[in-house]
Amino acid sequence: MTVELISVGTELLMGNIVNTNAQYLSRKCAELGFSLYFQITVGDNEGRLCEVIETALHRSDIIILTGGLGPTQDDITKESVAKVLKRNLVMDEESKRLIDDYFKFRFQGEKNTIVTENNWKQALKIEDSIVIKNDNGTAPGSIVEINNKSIIILPGPPAEMKPMFEQHIFPYLKKKQNKTFVSKMIKICGIGESRAETDILDLIEKQSNPTIAPYAKNGEVHFRITAAADCEAEAHQLLSPVVNELYQRFGENIYTSIEEETLEEVVAHLLIDKKYTLTTAESCTGGMLTGRIVNIPGVSDILKEGFITYSNEAKMKYLGVKKETLDQYGAVSSQTAQEMALGAAEAAEADAALAITGIAGPDGGTKDKPVGLVYIACNVKGHVTVKECHFKGNRQKVRDQSVIYALDLLRRSLK
């Protein structure tokens, strides 16, 4: 079956917000084994919205619309679907009651609070549709079935859309599949996308079931392996030899096969398992590395402190980097990175230390030390490994890649 996504909202077209809904729903449709050929973003214009709905109905089995369910005049998704289907909008009394309860709870204790008339617009439903309760907002979703096709309408805010999809829409769509689809994600660091794909080109060319799909990330490559079978156990049996083959080929470059697990989580868990403490010393990344590590719950057990030493004076004052080292080799050098990692571990009394120093650009590069040159040092129990990196891209991309490579260097050193 084919699915089409329609994201509604002028703010999406203008770039005022990032369309994370489409990314999330694409992943979920792949997980369900549906084919997704089209994603459309359309502004708050009834004529254009009706046009894309009509087109989607001709070429797709399932249409998922997000956004445009609010109380204002530019929220026109339900109205446009009803117009295309030539159905009326009628009041859903249960939705109206829930909206009334929401406002009573939200503004309890406040005097003269009146629910404005336009809020009841959200309680309207398309005739003969299935209303989906919204436990996190006032705009309910809905499902309209017509001629063996389904139109699914969901609220735009991700905090409302995702729970509604997980709880109600995913089980609904799963019933439409006569096969079970199981996926496994293999995440790789330290190898570029072109090399990673080349290394498994033979597997990709002869694939049928399971299938292998590569995804390029910033500094990472992910492979999604998906198997279709009559039951989950059979799908896992099909996946197993392919996953094993990827481990044979990529070895320690694979940092996880758990889709939800991030690189920083893997590193944090390694430190926690070994009961090692960590400190960081950052120059060009300015705290980004420490920020990634702090994302992990329980990291307070292992993270001692982080040093942001952007200037040479700070490197000498807080990390004990020698003036002679800076004068002879410069702030961006393997020698300085090594002394940063050693000094940070000593200053924080930590078992491990990560240090980053580099030229993120756009200025500051020379022929000998171009923009994108970054040195990363990893100190584990006094054993220091320094990696020289040459990154391409703008300032943000250089800094992002520096953080990823630093985390990966620590992962490898701990293993």
Side-chain angles (χ1 to χ4, degrees):
M1 299 186 80
T2 59
V3 178
E4 186 158 342
L5 305 182
I6 302 175
S7 305
V8 184
T10 301
E11 68 276 10
L12 296 170
L13 287 176
M14 299 295 290
N16 294 329
I17 62 172
V18 178
N19 191 355
T20 58
N21 285 346
Q23 179 190 35
Y24 168 83
L25 290 170
S26 297
R27 290 202 309 265
K28 288 298 178 181
C29 289
E31 188 178 331
L32 285 160
F34 292 123
S35 299
L36 180 61
Y37 297 139
F38 298 99
Q39 292 184 17
I40 304 295
T41 301
V42 60
D44 302 308
N45 178 282
E46 186 181 83
R48 288 189 283 272
L49 181 52
C50 287
E51 183 181 339
V52 299
I53 293 168
E54 288 172 349
T55 301
L57 279 169
H58 284 299
R59 65 190 181 191
S60 301
D61 302 303
I62 299 164
I63 300 99
I64 303 176
L65 297 102
T66 55
L69 298 183
T72 59
Q73 289 187 347
D74 62 346
D75 291 309
I76 54 170
T77 299
K78 271 189 301 189
E79 291 80 353
S80 299
V81 172
K83 185 174 182 178
V84 170
L85 300 180
K86 296 181 173 57
R87 294 191 187 184
N88 295 321
L89 287 170
V90 296
M91 182 61 66
D92 181 62
E93 294 300 330
E94 177 63 11
S95 296
K96 186 176 181 180
R97 183 188 67 77
L98 291 171
I99 291 170
D100 187 43
D101 289 345
Y102 173 87
F103 279 102
K104 285 178 180 176
F105 178 80
R106 174 70 177 80
F107 297 107
Q108 58 182 316
E110 297 186 25
K111 295 181 179 180
N112 303 319
T113 299
I114 300 173
V115 181
T116 55
E117 192 62 30
N118 57 356
N119 279 289
W120 305 125
K121 174 177 179 285
Q122 296 175 104
L124 293 172
K125 73 169 186 175
I126 299 170
E127 261 185 328
D128 299 322
S129 65
I130 303 166
V131 177
I132 308 298
K133 181 184 174 185
N134 187 344
D135 292 320
N136 300 280
T138 55
S142 58
I143 300 171
V144 188
E145 296 176 330
I146 178 171
N147 299 331
N148 295 319
K149 296 177 183 281
S150 297
I151 302 175
I152 298 167
I153 305 171
L154 301 172
E160 300 177 27
M161 186 279 292
K162 289 181 180 180
M164 188 180 291
F165 186 90
E166 294 282 355
Q167 187 175 353
H168 301 286
I169 306 305
F170 191 92
Y172 169 82
L173 291 176
K174 197 169 184 179
K175 291 177 182 176
K176 292 183 174 294
Q177 276 292 17
N178 57 6
K179 288 282 186 180
T180 296
F181 291 82
V182 176
S183 292
K184 194 82 171 177
M185 185 71 85
I186 301 296
K187 298 185 179 183
I188 296 171
C189 254
I191 296 180
E193 179 190 13
S194 56
R195 181 187 157 189
E197 186 176 41
T198 300
D199 286 348
I200 62 161
L201 200 56
D202 59 317
L203 298 179
I204 292 175
E205 287 177 346
K206 67 181 182 183
Q207 68 181 353
S208 55
N209 183 28
T211 58
I212 306 173
Y215 301 91
K217 302 287 182 179
N218 193 11
E220 300 182 26
V221 180
H222 297 178
F223 289 110
R224 180 185 291 279
I225 308 99
T226 303
D230 292 329
C231 65
E232 192 169 322
E234 184 183 339
H236 281 292
Q237 285 181 341
L238 290 169
L239 283 176
S240 184
V242 179
V243 172
N244 290 340
E245 181 63 27
L246 292 180
Y247 269 93
Q248 286 290 324
R249 298 192 184 195
F250 293 110
E252 65 177 12
N253 294 308
I254 297 174
Y255 71 84
T256 188
S257 60
I258 301 171
E259 182 165 0
E260 298 78 16
E261 192 169 43
T262 63
L263 180 57
E264 55 264 36
E265 282 180 303
V266 171
V267 170
H269 293 152
L270 283 170
L271 289 164
I272 291 168
D273 290 345
K274 290 178 177 292
K275 296 183 172 58
Y276 283 4
T277 54
L278 173 70
T279 188
T280 58
E282 302 182 63
S283 184
C284 63
T285 49
M288 290 174 60
L289 172 62
T290 312
R292 282 280 292 265
I293 296 168
V294 170
N295 285 337
I296 310 306
V299 78
S300 58
D301 291 338
I302 53 99
L303 183 62
K304 299 275 286 198
E305 55 190 303
F307 298 93
I308 300 174
T309 54
Y310 205 71
S311 67
N312 286 355
E313 291 77 13
K315 291 177 177 67
M316 291 186 289
K317 179 180 179 180
Y318 296 107
L319 304 176
V321 176
K322 297 182 182 69
K323 186 177 186 301
E324 295 79 10
T325 302
L326 293 165
D327 290 341
Q328 183 175 355
Y329 302 105
V332 181
S333 64
S334 62
Q335 292 83 358
T336 296
Q338 179 169 330
E339 290 188 16
M340 288 172 67
L342 287 167
E346 184 178 352
E349 297 181 347
D351 299 303
L354 270 179
I356 301 174
T357 180
I359 306 168
D363 304 316
T366 65
K367 183 179 179 180
D368 294 331
K369 294 184 178 182
V371 169
L373 173 63
V374 177
Y375 289 95
I376 301 166
C378 178
N379 173 9
V380 178
K381 294 283 190 178
H383 178 76
V384 182
T385 304
V386 181
K387 186 180 180 80
E388 180 181 316
C389 302
H390 295 268
F391 298 124
K392 295 293 184 182
N394 60 24
R395 182 178 179 84
Q396 187 62 38
K397 189 169 183 181
V398 169
R399 297 169 76 219
D400 285 337
Q401 290 179 97
S402 299
V403 169
I404 292 165
Y405 274 69
L407 288 167
D408 191 48
L409 180 58
L410 177 56
R411 176 185 72 88
R412 292 170 190 266
S413 299
L414 291 169
K415 287 176 76 74

